[in-house]
Amino acid sequence: MKAALQNYHARMQRVLDYIDQHLDSDLDLETVSRIAAFSKFHFHRQFTATFELSVHRYVQLARMKRASNQLASRGAASVTEIAMDAGYDSPDAFARAFRRRFGQSPSSFRKSPDWAPWLAAFGPLEIARSKLMQTTYTRDDVTIREVLPTPVAILEHRGDRATLGDTIERFIRWRKGAGLSPETSPTFNIFRSERTPENPAEYSMDLCVGTGRPIDAQDDVMKAGVIPGGRCAELRVNGASHNLEPAALYLYREWLPASGEEARDFPIYCQRYLTFPPGEAAHAVVAEMFLPLK
């Protein structure tokens, strides 16, 4: 039974990888079902049952996410070119869909992205991509590296994870007001508790933005801190950042006991990419997990 489920997940993972890598292609149901080696007559229902999104909806969200990343990166592509790449017949149709989803025009988003509705809009996509994450990691995915200390501004979230969205919005408003763009100032999360502790009130996470500027001691949102340098086990999380717990559990439960290493007295943390790193495809790297080592 376990082998059959792993095979099923592997086939579905092939589909997600293919879609992410062929967003410019005609991703019709027959093509996508063939990649999974499933009957096209049943594949649509199988996909929807697995990911809680239809194939069409998944492709639509993936293309829109790439388009928003292209806009935020302020590259050479025009809004018209980005609209065509996203599968829209005209810039006007793209602009209407974009504004409906994000509350900003494409041109306004390119100048000053509002990340709160962006995060909310792609929640279903990240949930879908996270459903197969537990099957993807091996020892070859983990690299031990030295990292430098990083001064950060920290917003502490303490309490029920259900209120995390409000904390994220406060964090985004603060960094926008401070002029700390995700493109130039890295985003980190420090995980100080399990994702779903037995007592929801014990959920604890720090939202951080890298900055060397002084933080006013009277600031009622952020405080100054440092993510320490040193040896870390690094694990890249490909394709999803909605739920990083499978990656953290892999590092703790499987990699660490087999590695002979010992964890340092600092929580596991990640660096998130709200757009994407230079030189990487939009679907390729969304987060990097770091487990500090002695």
Side-chain angles (χ1 to χ4, degrees):
M1 181 69 72
K2 183 177 180 181
L5 183 60
Q6 288 177 334
N7 176 261
Y8 182 90
H9 282 182
R11 292 159 78 181
M12 284 297 188
Q13 186 65 57
R14 283 205 308 271
V15 171
L16 300 192
D17 292 343
Y18 183 86
I19 290 174
D20 286 344
Q21 294 163 16
H22 295 83
L23 291 175
D24 293 327
S25 304
D26 184 10
L27 295 168
D28 59 85
L29 189 60
E30 184 169 353
T31 299
V32 178
S33 62
R34 187 171 62 248
I35 297 300
F38 285 126
S39 164
K40 70 176 181 179
F41 298 104
H42 301 290
F43 176 68
H44 184 268
R45 289 181 178 175
Q46 288 173 287
F47 188 97
T48 303
T50 300
F51 299 112
E52 300 179 18
L53 286 175
S54 68
V55 176
H56 174 75
R57 180 68 170 151
Y58 182 94
V59 171
Q60 187 182 51
L61 283 172
R63 284 173 171 160
M64 185 61 82
K65 185 171 185 179
R66 182 182 66 170
S68 63
N69 283 335
Q70 290 171 328
L71 288 167
S73 67
R74 302 180 188 177
S78 68
V79 173
T80 298
E81 290 170 326
I82 292 172
M84 298 298 107
D85 287 345
Y88 288 86
D89 294 331
S90 70
D92 287 344
F94 173 67
R96 286 193 299 271
F98 196 93
R99 184 183 291 277
R100 194 163 54 242
R101 192 174 305 279
F102 304 114
Q104 286 183 283
S105 69
S107 298
S108 174
F109 186 87
R110 168 165 270 178
K111 293 176 183 175
S112 180
D114 184 353
W115 293 111
W118 187 94
L119 288 167
F122 293 115
L125 182 67
E126 301 308 333
I127 290 171
R129 288 175 171 174
S130 72
K131 289 183 181 295
L132 304 181
M133 285 176 62
Q134 66 271 22
T135 66
T136 61
Y137 303 117
T138 69
R139 288 182 57 83
D140 292 339
D141 296 322
V142 181
T143 302
I144 296 179
R145 53 172 285 202
E146 289 280 342
V147 301
L148 297 174
T150 304
V152 292
I154 301 172
L155 174 55
E156 298 177 339
H157 177 89
R158 303 292 183 265
D160 196 331
R161 192 173 181 276
T163 64
L164 180 59
D166 294 336
T167 305
I168 291 173
E169 289 193 19
R170 290 174 62 211
F171 175 76
I172 292 171
R173 284 197 301 270
W174 186 93
R175 74 179 297 165
K176 283 182 66 177
L180 299 175
S181 164
E183 292 181 310
T184 57
S185 303
T187 303
F188 299 93
N189 295 151
I190 302 173
F191 303 104
R192 298 187 177 275
S193 73
E194 296 177 1
R195 187 171 188 266
T196 53
E198 186 172 345
N199 179 359
E202 294 178 357
Y203 180 77
S204 179
M205 183 179 76
D206 295 345
L207 290 80
C208 310
V209 55
T211 177
R213 71 174 61 173
I215 307 299
D216 191 333
Q218 304 303 314
D219 192 307
D220 60 356
V221 178
M222 309 292 280
K223 70 176 188 178
V226 175
I227 296 177
R231 295 175 70 247
C232 288
E234 176 194 29
L235 173 60
R236 285 189 167 192
V237 178
N238 296 323
S241 65
H242 176 79
N243 180 7
L244 295 174
E245 188 172 37
L249 290 178
Y250 173 77
L251 286 171
Y252 279 125
R253 290 180 179 175
E254 298 184 43
W255 183 85
L256 188 61
S259 69
E261 298 282 348
E262 290 188 41
R264 199 172 355 131
D265 190 19
F266 188 81
I268 196 168
Y269 66 95
C270 79
Q271 179 174 355
R272 290 183 180 272
Y273 296 97
L274 293 184
T275 54
F276 47 92
E280 297 281 3
H283 67 274
V285 179
V286 178
E288 292 176 340
M289 298 290 292
F290 293 93
L291 176 61
L293 304 173
K294 290 184 177 179

